Amino acid sequence: MSLYSLQEVRQVFEDRTVLDIDNLEMTAGGSYALLGPNGSGKTTLLHVLAFLRPPSSGVIYFQGQKVEWRDSVLTGLRRKVVLVDQHPIMFSTTVLKNVEYGPRMRGVSARERRKAAEECLERVGMSAFAHRPAHLLSGGETQRVAIARAMACRPEVMLFDEPTASVDVENQAVIDGVIRQLRKDKGVNGRISIIFSTHKPLEASRLAQERIFLFEGRLTGPGGENLLSCDIVQGGGGAVCVVGDNVALPVQTSRSGPGRVFIKPELIGLFPLDAAHEETTEQGHVGEILQMTAEGPNIKVLLDIGVPLRTLLSKDEARHLDAMVGEKVRVRIDPEAIELA
C-alpha cells in the first residue's frame, strides 16, 4: 500500500529552491532514512510530509489520496502523522502531562490518556520522571519524552528529525532501541511507518529498510554521499572539476563554471602509501582515514583527501590494506568513477 507519493514537488523560500523532487514513493509500513549534508532539504521534506507546510508547487498523495492543503483536511491528516523535532519544546508542566497532551487534544478520556502516557513513558525508560517538571530535563531526556508524547497519539506515521544528533551515548542507545521496536508495532492500519533524517550512515543502515539521499534539495540515489559541488575549469590537458581544498578531478565536458560531481564509491581504490611519495601525484591522491565502519559484508571508509570521500572495501581488501584510522593511504579514483551530475 502506498504511503506517500510526491510528484514534481518544489519548495522555494525567498527565491531559493530548497526542495526539488520529481518523484518519490514510500510504502506504508516501511522505514526510511533521509541522508544528506546540512542544507540538503531533509528537514523541509519532513515538514512537508508532516503536513506542516505546503510545497510551493507539485502534488502529494497520502495513502492513495491527493492532499488538499485546507485546514478541514489537514486536521485529519495531522492526527495520523506525528513529527518529533530535533530540539523539541516541553510545556511548563510535568512530564506526564506533556505526554498526555496529544490524547487530550483528541478527546481521549482522562483515564485512558493517563494509561497511554504511562505506557509510553515506560517504553522510553522515563517512568521515574513522570511527575518532574519537563522543562528541566536534559537534552537526551527531553528527546525521549518527546518520542513518548508522539507515541501516545497512536499515529500511523512517525517522523523524526535527527533523533540522536544532540544527545549523549546513553540516550542514543535508548532512542535507537525505541525506533527499532516501533518498526515492529502495529498501528490502526497495519505496521507503523517510520521516516527519520540523520547524518549517520551507520544509524541509517541499522534502523531503516531504505535510504533516501538528498543533496541541495534533490534526490541523488545511493551515491549521494559522494556528490560534491565543484568548479569546472578548462585547460590545455582538458577539463578538471575542482572540489574542496583544490582537489582536481579530470572530467569529460566542454562546459565551465559551477557544477556537481558524483564519485562512485565502489570505483575508489585504497593502497598502502609509498613513503617516498607524500604528495598527490599522477598515481592518485594521499588521503587520511577518518573512520572505518562495518556495513554488511563490506567496510565503509571515510577519507579526507582535501574533501570528505567515502568508499567501500571488502573485508579481504581491508585486511590487505592493513591501515587504521588516522593513517594515510594512497587513493586512486578510476576515471569511470567520476560523473558530472
Side-chain angles (χ1 to χ4, degrees):
M1 176 182 173
S2 174
L3 181 65
Y4 289 102
S5 176
L6 280 65
Q7 301 173 13
E8 304 294 332
V9 169
R10 310 284 184 272
Q11 186 64 274
V12 180
F13 296 139
E14 298 180 351
D15 298 325
R16 185 171 68 92
T17 300
V18 297
L19 205 60
D20 186 358
I21 296 177
D22 292 330
N23 183 71
L24 177 61
E25 304 286 336
M26 296 184 182
T27 303
S31 54
Y32 298 84
L34 306 180
L35 287 145
N38 288 335
S40 61
K42 301 188 300 296
T43 298
T44 300
L45 177 55
L46 286 174
H47 285 179
V48 170
L49 297 178
F51 310 113
L52 299 178
R53 178 185 293 125
S56 302
S57 61
V59 179
I60 298 176
Y61 291 85
F62 178 70
Q63 296 179 336
Q65 300 295 315
K66 183 179 178 180
V67 175
E68 301 290 344
W69 297 89
R70 302 193 308 267
D71 288 343
S72 58
V73 175
L74 294 175
T75 298
L77 294 178
R78 289 168 181 165
R79 289 177 181 268
K80 297 182 178 183
V81 181
V82 177
L83 170 65
V84 179
D85 284 318
Q86 182 178 352
H87 303 289
I89 297 174
M90 293 287 111
F91 300 118
S92 298
T93 183
T94 65
V95 165
L96 184 65
K97 289 188 180 297
N98 267 271
V99 180
E100 286 184 354
Y101 178 78
R104 181 164 67 86
M105 296 301 292
R106 287 161 170 75
V108 178
S109 69
R111 181 178 179 179
E112 287 300 312
R113 67 177 182 251
R114 185 182 182 92
K115 179 182 177 182
E118 289 174 343
E119 289 175 351
C120 292
L121 283 173
E122 183 176 357
R123 290 186 63 179
V124 301
M126 292 294 290
S127 295
F129 294 75
H131 300 290
R132 297 189 187 182
H135 63 285
L136 298 180
L137 298 174
S138 71
E141 293 164 349
T142 298
Q143 189 76 338
R144 286 158 65 181
V145 171
I147 293 172
R149 185 167 62 185
M151 291 163 54
C153 296
R154 303 193 185 283
E156 297 177 34
V157 184
M158 290 193 68
L159 311 175
F160 300 87
D161 192 5
E162 300 278 1
T164 64
S166 303
V167 303
D168 58 35
V169 174
E170 181 180 358
N171 283 295
Q172 284 181 26
V174 173
I175 293 169
D176 190 305
V178 170
I179 293 176
R180 280 185 291 178
Q181 184 58 46
L182 281 169
R183 289 179 51 182
K184 304 175 184 177
D185 281 6
K186 295 289 186 179
V188 176
N189 293 319
R191 184 165 291 174
I192 293 176
S193 304
I194 304 292
I195 304 169
F196 64 94
S197 64
T198 181
H199 282 91
K200 306 172 183 177
L202 190 59
E203 181 175 77
S205 298
R206 282 199 315 270
L207 302 180
Q209 295 167 315
E210 295 191 40
R211 292 177 292 172
I212 298 170
F213 294 92
L214 288 165
F215 185 81
E216 295 183 351
R218 295 182 176 89
L219 300 180
T220 65
E225 293 174 309
N226 283 348
L227 188 63
L228 307 167
S229 296
C230 69
D231 187 24
I232 303 170
V233 180
Q234 297 290 338
V240 294
C241 190
V242 181
V243 297
D245 188 16
N246 294 320
V247 177
L249 305 172
V251 290
Q252 298 293 324
T253 184
S254 59
R255 61 189 177 95
S256 301
R260 293 188 301 167
V261 65
F262 165 44
I263 306 172
K264 297 178 183 178
E266 67 273 16
L267 295 181
I268 301 172
L270 303 185
F271 304 90
L273 182 65
D274 182 349
H277 298 280
E278 291 294 332
E279 301 295 330
T280 299
T281 74
E282 68 278 6
Q283 297 179 351
H285 305 270
V286 172
E288 180 182 351
I289 297 177
L290 301 179
Q291 186 180 57
M292 301 179 77
T293 55
E295 187 166 296
N298 300 312
I299 303 297
K300 176 171 282 188
V301 182
L302 173 61
L303 303 158
D304 180 5
I305 65 168
V307 65
L309 201 62
R310 284 182 171 86
T311 185
L312 284 173
L313 303 178
S314 69
K315 291 184 178 178
D316 283 342
E317 289 172 329
R319 279 192 288 266
H320 184 262
L321 180 63
D322 192 26
M324 300 178 64
V325 172
E327 295 183 352
K328 291 185 177 181
V329 293
R330 181 72 59 189
V331 182
R332 295 176 187 166
I333 302 173
D334 189 309
E336 295 186 2
I338 304 169
E339 295 182 0
L340 286 175

